[in-house]
Structure formats: C-alpha cells, structure tokens
Amino acid sequence: MNSGDTAWMLISSALVLFMTPGLAFFYGGMVRAKNVLGMLMKNYIAMGIVTITWVIVGYSLAFAPDMGGGFLGGLDFVGLKGVESVFAEGEEAGAIHAVPVPDTVIMVFQMMFAIITPALISGAIAERMKFTAWAVFVAIWSIVVYAPMAHWVWNAGGFLAKLGAVDFAGGTVVHINAGAAALAVILVLGPRLGFRREAIRPHSLPLTLLGAGMLWFGWFGFNAGSSFGANGLAANAFITTQIAAATAGTVWALMEHMTRGKATTLGFASGAVAGLVAVTPAAGFVGPMSSMLIGALAGAVCYLALQIKFKLNVDDALDVLAVHLVGGILGSLAIGFLGQNAINSFTKDGLLFGGGMDQLIAQTIAVAVAAVYSFVVTWILAKAIDVTMGLRISETDERRGVDLSMHEEQSYVMSE
Amino acid sequence: MKMIVAYINPFKLDEIRDALKEAGVSGLSVSNIQGFGRQAGHTETYRGAEYEVDFVPKVRVEVLVDDTLAPSVISTIETTARTGSIGDGKIAVLPVEDVIRIRTGERGRDAL
C-alpha cells in the first residue's frame, strides 16, 4: 500500500461527497423561498439512499468482473463481499483495482460519484416533484442506470472502455447521464405552474454562489482524485480543472456583458460549473491551454444552450440540460480533438495533435450510447413511477410549496 | 395624536432617522416592503431570461407623534426623502384614537 496515494484518495472521497451539499445549495438558492428545503432534501436524501444501494448491489454491478459482453458487472461484490481494506500477503495493490490503494477506498470514492449523479437531476424537476417518488426514483435509477453505465466506461471489461472511449472523471457516466435523464423525467413530469407566464425567480443568489464555491472546491477531488493516486496525473487534472472553471465563468460573464449589458453573479457561477462539467471527462487527458479552450467553449456554448428549454418548451427548471448535458457532451468530444497520449496513455492523440479520427469516433459512440440509454431507461422508470405512485405533487401543494406540503417545515420563519 | 407612515427609498433611511431624532422624535418603526407606484417596475435577468418585476424594494417608516410635533416631522421626512426623481415615495398621516405603553399602562399623550 502507498500511504500517499491512499491519503489522497481518502481526502478526494470526502471532497466529492462535499459536492452534493454544494449542489444542494447551488440549486436551493435558485428556487423560490417556499421550495428551498424540498430542493435541499432531494440532494441530501441521495447521500442516504445511494450509499445503501451502492453497498448492497450498485458497486458490484459496476465493478465486479463482467457477466459477459461488457454490459454488466456480476454479483460477486454484493454487500461488499470480498472488497478488502488490506492487501493479500505480498501484494502491492488491491485485488479489484490495480492501484496501491485499498479496494474499499476506491469503492467509497466511486460511491460519492454514484451519489451526486442522480442529485444533479434534481435541478430539472425542482419545485414540483413528490418526495417519495423522488426517493424511489433515486434508488432504482442508481441501480439500473448509473451502475451499468459506470461498468461500461470505468470497468476494464466494459464495452465502451474496450472500444477505446475514455472518460476521466465522469463526462458520460455522470454529466451526460444526469442530463439525458433530466430531460426524460421532465417530459413525464410536465412544467411548473406558471412556467413561461410568471417570473419564477431565485430566492437567494448568495446561497447559490456559496454552493457553487463548494462545488468548485469539491471538484478537485472529483477530477484530481480520478487519477487514483497522488501523482503527476492528479496534478495535471487539478490545474486543468482550475483553468477550465475560471475561463468558463469569465467567458459566461463576458457573454452576458456583451449581449445584455450586465454580467451577473448567477452567470459567473453557472459558467464556472459549466466549465467544471466540460473539463471533467478531459481533465487527465489534455494540457493547460487545451483546458482553457474547453473552458472558453463551455462558457459560450452552455450560455447559448440556455435557450434549448424554451425551444423544446420543457421546464428544465435550473438548466441541467444546458449545463450538464451540453457541457458533458462538449468535454467528452473535446478529448477526440485535444487528447494527448503523452499526458495519459489511455487516450490516443486527438485530431488537433495529429492522432486522426480514432479517439473522436470512440468518444462520439460513448456520448451517443450514454445519452440514449439514460434517456430511454429513465423515461420508462419515470413513467412507471408516475402510473403507480404519482410523480407530481397536487396543484394545491405546488402553490403552498414543497417545504410545507412534503416536509411540514419552513425555510424561513418570521422571528425566533 | 398622529400616525405618520412614510414609504421611502431604502437608501434614505439613515438620513431620515437622524433628521427625525434631531426633530425630537423619540421612537420609530421601520420595515422592508415592496410595492409599485408611478415608478412602476424594473427588469431582472437570470441566466439570460428577462423578467419584468412590478415591485421595487422600499422602506416603510412609522412614527407616532403628538399633534404639535406632526407638522415638523412631516416636513422633515418630506425634505429629507426628496431627491426629485420618480420613486421618492409618499407620506400618509392618520389620526390615532389612543396609544398605550404596554409596560406601564399609560395612555394617550403620556404613552408617546
């Protein structure tokens, strides 16, 4: 065991977990005051439920030896059976993950990704989804959508991994997955009362900026931790993460300034998150100037993508499509142009580094597979929950707000 | 006795408090409110979506005063709150039937 690597992976795991509360506050500030606790709870409950599903079966379906065809892990690690904190006598690495870090540490690091991915979807369904329906959705989704996709991309036996597609920290598995799922759920769920007619405004942007800061901070664990060691690749991922986030936030603010005359705080925070999303798949495959280009594109493209929901006329309340689906696609494809084999031997050189079309084709297939699988299975799941237990709160409850109608609590009480 | 209710620009509050103290007012209440008058609303932009917001933030100042003090309090608020631009606000003057100091039970002018 390497204590430096293990220490970094333990810290990274905590950093990634910290992103989910960050996301909760990022989203929580953007909803109306009557729906804040409902928003926070939809994120926090993911920390509860997905920990349970991951330990019992999710980790096994994702990382156990392949059942055949590269589509699903087996049941060898159900209940974490055989996932050890110490190495076998004379071994330098864990039995499952070929790194000098205990398998339990890699398992818990991956758990934090499994938690935040369904939590990302909560931004799209904000202010109108039933809490119990959400809880059931998260439990099943983490098993039937997240775990298989993690297997395809991140298990050496997965079919997308064998195809040569790469995803450093979750462009396909996390962001495209959550973004496509968000679209599927809101198609079943329908728009909020007053969508496109009333001014539904963020109730506390300071909370949103606080959450964005927590996300940015935690993202260093997400991306630099995905090197699975305290090494040069982690350093590369760390700096590309910082550069992309900073550039995307700045470019988004600049776009606002140029098109509307004023840069906004929500715009800078949104841009930074879009940059973090876009660099996620690429962080360990591209160099600093490439990450600046990815950040600049993310800031500009995701800003323009905000119009999608109005074009499609779907109420993606907090813009999960524009930020996570579009940002995830952008970053995943960017590897096909900007990836460098010298930085990480898992990728071929991208188109702009003289490597030809191979990596770009593999990336395109992975993007399409992730988006289509997530959309289709999530739509079926949402429809099934809608028919059996109802996905949406009543009109009266929606007007009263999720906080009172789902949780019998209020975010802001008058005095004492 | 009079209840003087003034709807003012929030940035004028400190100035008005100081001026009213100077004028001999022994207490006042303020609250954050939102409303619209001739100033109408304003535009807010969130992630590129523009919203016309009718209500603008204002501060409501309430002062209970004796009839003799009322004219100077009104003119103090009027001159201090005025910028000359639309949105300076309004002052309402209401007759007060009785005032009770809760701690002592004093009534009327003694309770002011």
Side-chain angles (χ1 to χ4, degrees), chain A residues 14-253:
Chain A
L15 283 169
V16 180
L17 177 74
F18 190 60
M19 290 171 69
T20 299
L23 183 69
F25 282 96
F26 182 65
Y27 284 163
M30 277 188 264
V31 297
R32 287 165 291 182
K34 62 183 177 182
N35 297 319
V36 188
L37 293 172
M39 194 71 254
L40 298 182
M41 186 62 166
K42 287 196 171 67
N43 288 271
Y44 277 77
I45 196 68
M47 297 197 274
I49 291 172
V50 179
T51 299
I52 297 168
T53 59
W54 189 250
V55 165
I56 293 176
V57 67
Y59 174 70
S60 189
L61 293 177
F63 289 99
D66 194 76
M67 289 206 295
F71 292 103
L72 202 58
L75 299 174
D76 295 9
F77 304 150
V78 164
L80 301 187
K81 187 161 54 74
V83 185
E84 301 294 341
S85 292
V86 289
F87 299 160
E89 194 67 34
E91 291 293 331
E92 294 290 315
I96 304 165
H97 303 280
V99 285
V101 177
D103 287 332
T104 46
V105 176
I106 305 298
M107 181 282 299
V108 87
F109 179 69
Q110 293 288 357
M111 176 197 284
M112 306 318 184
F113 286 65
I115 288 170
I116 197 171
T117 306
L120 289 169
I121 304 168
S122 68
I125 57 91
E127 305 193 299
R128 61 203 190 279
M129 188 162 170
K130 208 189 270 184
F131 174 68
T132 46
W134 171 256
V136 170
F137 173 83
V138 167
I140 300 175
W141 195 88
S142 73
I143 296 167
V144 303
V145 181
Y146 185 83
M149 207 175 296
H151 180 79
W152 303 346
V153 179
W154 284 337
N155 192 312
F159 81 95
L160 290 174
K162 284 198 282 194
L163 201 75
V166 292
D167 182 354
F168 195 70
T172 50
V173 179
V174 176
H175 297 291
I176 294 174
N177 197 358
L183 178 59
V185 186
I186 55 179
L187 285 177
V188 180
L189 188 62
R192 288 168 294 178
L193 297 171
F195 174 61
R196 303 197 78 162
R197 284 185 292 108
E198 296 165 17
I200 304 178
R201 292 178 297 161
H203 91 286
S204 172
L205 288 179
L207 279 188
T208 295
L209 269 83
L210 182 70
M214 289 165 69
L215 279 171
W216 194 330
F217 177 73
W219 225 294
F220 291 117
F222 203 83
N223 287 359
S226 290
S227 63
F228 297 103
N231 49 38
L233 188 57
N236 189 89
F238 197 110
I239 64 161
T240 54
T241 299
Q242 174 65 15
I243 293 168
T247 308
T250 305
V251 166
W252 187 304

Side-chain angles (χ1 to χ4, degrees), chain B residues 92-105:
Chain B
V93 184
L94 291 75
V96 173
E97 201 167 305
D98 204 356
V99 177
I100 299 106
R101 174 170 282 122
I102 295 172
R103 174 171 56 85
T104 58

Side-chain angles (χ1 to χ4, degrees), chain A residues 168-364:
Chain A
F168 195 70
T172 50
V173 179
V174 176
H175 297 291
I176 294 174
N177 197 358
L183 178 59
V185 186
I186 55 179
L187 285 177
V188 180
L189 188 62
R192 288 168 294 178
L193 297 171
F195 174 61
R196 303 197 78 162
R197 284 185 292 108
E198 296 165 17
I200 304 178
R201 292 178 297 161
H203 91 286
S204 172
L205 288 179
L207 279 188
T208 295
L209 269 83
L210 182 70
M214 289 165 69
L215 279 171
W216 194 330
F217 177 73
W219 225 294
F220 291 117
F222 203 83
N223 287 359
S226 290
S227 63
F228 297 103
N231 49 38
L233 188 57
N236 189 89
F238 197 110
I239 64 161
T240 54
T241 299
Q242 174 65 15
I243 293 168
T247 308
T250 305
V251 166
W252 187 304
L254 188 65
M255 295 277 292
E256 286 185 328
H257 183 77
M258 290 189 324
T259 56
R260 303 201 172 249
K262 286 193 174 66
T264 67
T265 57
L266 179 59
F268 182 80
S270 306
V273 172
L276 290 162
V277 168
V279 81
T280 290
F285 300 116
V286 302
M289 289 314 291
S290 295
S291 72
M292 193 176 286
L293 180 61
I294 290 172
L297 285 170
V301 173
C302 294
Y303 175 72
L304 297 171
L306 291 172
Q307 297 308 317
I308 292 176
K309 66 175 177 182
F310 298 113
K311 295 270 189 302
L312 293 177
N313 200 23
V314 291
D315 186 9
D316 176 13
L318 311 181
D319 300 302
V320 179
L321 299 181
V323 175
H324 296 277
L325 182 60
V326 172
I329 292 172
L330 194 151
S332 298
L333 295 182
I335 302 167
F337 293 94
L338 299 167
Q340 288 177 263
N341 182 265
I343 292 171
N344 189 331
S345 61
F346 277 92
T347 184
K348 292 180 179 165
D349 279 331
L351 208 52
L352 299 180
F353 286 87
M357 293 291 288
D358 287 2
Q359 195 62 46
L360 184 58
I361 291 168
Q363 295 307 113
T364 308

Side-chain angles (χ1 to χ4, degrees), chain A residues 34 192-193 392-401:
Chain A
K34 62 183 177 182
R192 288 168 294 178
L193 297 171
R392 191 172 175 134
I393 58 179
S394 72
E395 197 177 315
T396 314
D397 283 349
E398 191 174 338
R399 290 192 199 285
R400 284 175 74 212

